[in-house]
Amino acid sequence: MATVGACIFSAVSSPVFRRQIMSSSEKPKRNPILKRVAVSTERTSAATTTVMTETTPTRIFVEKKSSELVEDEAETKQRVNVREYSEEESEGNGKSLKDYFDEAEDMIKSSSGGGPPRWFSPLECGSHTRDSPLLLFLPGIDGVGLGLIRQHQSLGKIFDIWCLHIPVKDRTSFTGLVKLIESTVRSESNRSPKRPVYLVGESLGACIALAVAARNPDIDLVLILVNPATSFNKSVLQSTIPLLELIPGQITTMLSSTLSLMTGDPLKMAMDNVAKRLSLQPTIQDLSQDLVALSSYLPVLADILPKETLLWKIELLKAASAYANSRLHAVKAQMLVLCSGKDQLMPSQEEGERLSSALHKCEPRNFYDHGHFLLLEDGVDLVTIIKGASYYRRGRSHDYVSDFMPPTSSEFNKICEDFRWMRVLSSPVMLSTLANGKIVRGLSGIPSEGPVLFVGYHNLLGLDVLTLIPEFMIESNILLRGLAHPMMYFKSKEGGLGDLSPYDVMRIMGAVPVSGINLYKLMSSKSHVLLYPGGVREALHRKGEEYKLFWPESSEFVRMATTFGAKIVPFGAVGEDDLAQIVLDYNDQMKIPYFKSQIEELTATAARLRTDTKGEVANQDMHMPYPVPKVPGRFYFYFGKPIETKGRKRELRDREKAHELYLEIKSEVEKCLAYLKEKRENDPYRNILPRLIYQATHGFTSQVPTFEP
């Protein structure tokens, strides 16, 4: 046993805790591998009815040799930088639902003596950078604090993680829990005022996070709410209170059934485990074993939430929901709400929509096939979710360049699998130009070192991007950072642009909102940048405008590229007219009152670009052309000879010289388009049917031939 201040806590038997006795004169240091314990500001113990009045967070540390008590400087230098995100460790968290139950059982035993709520940092979180933001995990009705167990390793690389553990016998009120979290938030915010504090709250924890945010509008908080219990008044738990009070003893069949909802969809989880196994023969046996294994943990669930504790937690949920809902108007924090479609405890999807409508800074993400305890289920990666929503930041605002983490191999593979249909349908042909002017198939003519600026024509609806960016990653291991319209990143006050989640893939793959400052940052970081000067006007073009450039008259990007000596690669992409044909364009829709009002409303809510530009490119009315698909043809990309700007900075300061280079680049793009349109006529595999026949005889992973460059 170790005694620190007013808190008595036994952690010897638990593998998720470490301890170190610390003298009262010694000042605690922040360290990601040190375990923390914070004492509640308001607590009445069920066992002793002793009121805890300790208000200063107390920390318990691992007992180590004297040489290990201070953080080794060499170890600090070896920490993985966020910008060098470790794929190997981020993709294999290595924990399962079984680990949750095993470690939860150990934690329950180690805190069986009661005590106040406390913070701990999981051992497997590893090292993070010094400028990593703090992430506080607030558990749901279980109170164990292990709800992130399947996310610890990946989250631990980019966050300093503290998890709240609420002992089974603890009876701290909702107000007491809020004050405890609030005290920690204020303390850590004062310690690092330039960095945000993340609150990841599950169910009950989400209500606590909302309460803390409402009471502290001046603190920089980022809330990630998982199936928030703000919808408790519609929960099935509320109707079970009278029945639970009548149940004798600690556990009954009905109570077990209620507790089993914590695992989401047990059958789906068991099926997921079976699907991961290579052997097909023992599938039925494995499935039955997995279901038996899940049912075997019902006693652990009963230990986590015995009858008295469950009744107390339900009362907590009722108070938390009422408090959070009454103060929603005061919440100013950035918020991401994760909603499960098969939540058997609460109507989480409906609640996510309500919160998103009520709060301007709130964005929902839906997970239709998952249950209440979303983060314990397969296929849910919180780091990927945060990256996709552009919610990771280490300063006051998200920096799309310095806060960006490249996609891991598992993230990239999943994206490729999701868009595999596009690659199969279009069978892209990549052509590049070597230094001697020779045109070759493949990307060997592309400069491997940045900064490089790719400038080209934007196909209908941006279909070319779906194949272009993956091909660069697969063939050259080059990540193209696309400059995209801001409407894909920012929610309008009127909500006219709707759900932003379809654009998460683009953000994961490195796309940034188009702006001069973002182009400057990308060039300075020596990135490979993808720019479409025609923007929305080209991607949403009218009938008969295929492969027509709508570029501004001014040389917007030339002088920026020359500032950094970037290589400019003009390119053309052809194939949209072989995939679809527009039947209802902008001109048609403006003649129909319904569509006209929709276009005007959408355009009014979208960010306006090039407001000072004249000509057709300034016409950026937001609309959706209605195309009909064709028998799929093929996409062709031709990258011209790179244009050097290094050493021409002084020359290109002259506006006329810069404009001449701009017109040269535009002319090269038009030549690339004309070349591809002519050459594709000689491609015997332009149509999908000959390609399928070829792959059927040569293998579906074989490269389909094309015309001779």
Side-chain angles (χ1 to χ4, degrees), residues 6 8 43-52 113-116 169-171:
I8 299 177
R43 171 186 176 271
T44 304
S45 171
T48 63
T49 65
T50 303
V51 178
M52 306 299 294
K169 296 181 180 180
D170 179 74
R171 296 296 181 263

Side-chain angles (χ1 to χ4, degrees), residues 151-163:
Q151 321 284 334
H152 285 161
Q153 286 187 15
S154 55
L155 285 171
K157 288 296 174 185
I158 59 176
F159 288 106
D160 181 10
I161 301 177
W162 300 15
C163 302

Side-chain angles (χ1 to χ4, degrees), residues 13 356 379 590 618 620:
S13 62
S356 177
M590 289 299 287
Q620 299 210 4

Side-chain angles (χ1 to χ4, degrees), residues 332-351:
K332 309 299 180 186
Q334 187 181 13
M335 189 186 312
L336 187 66
V337 183
L338 313 184
C339 315
S340 294
K342 293 185 178 179
D343 188 343
Q344 301 176 60
L345 292 181
M346 299 178 190
S348 293
Q349 273 193 283
E350 179 184 328
E351 185 64 8

Side-chain angles (χ1 to χ4, degrees), residues 27 185 395:
K27 187 177 180 180
V185 165

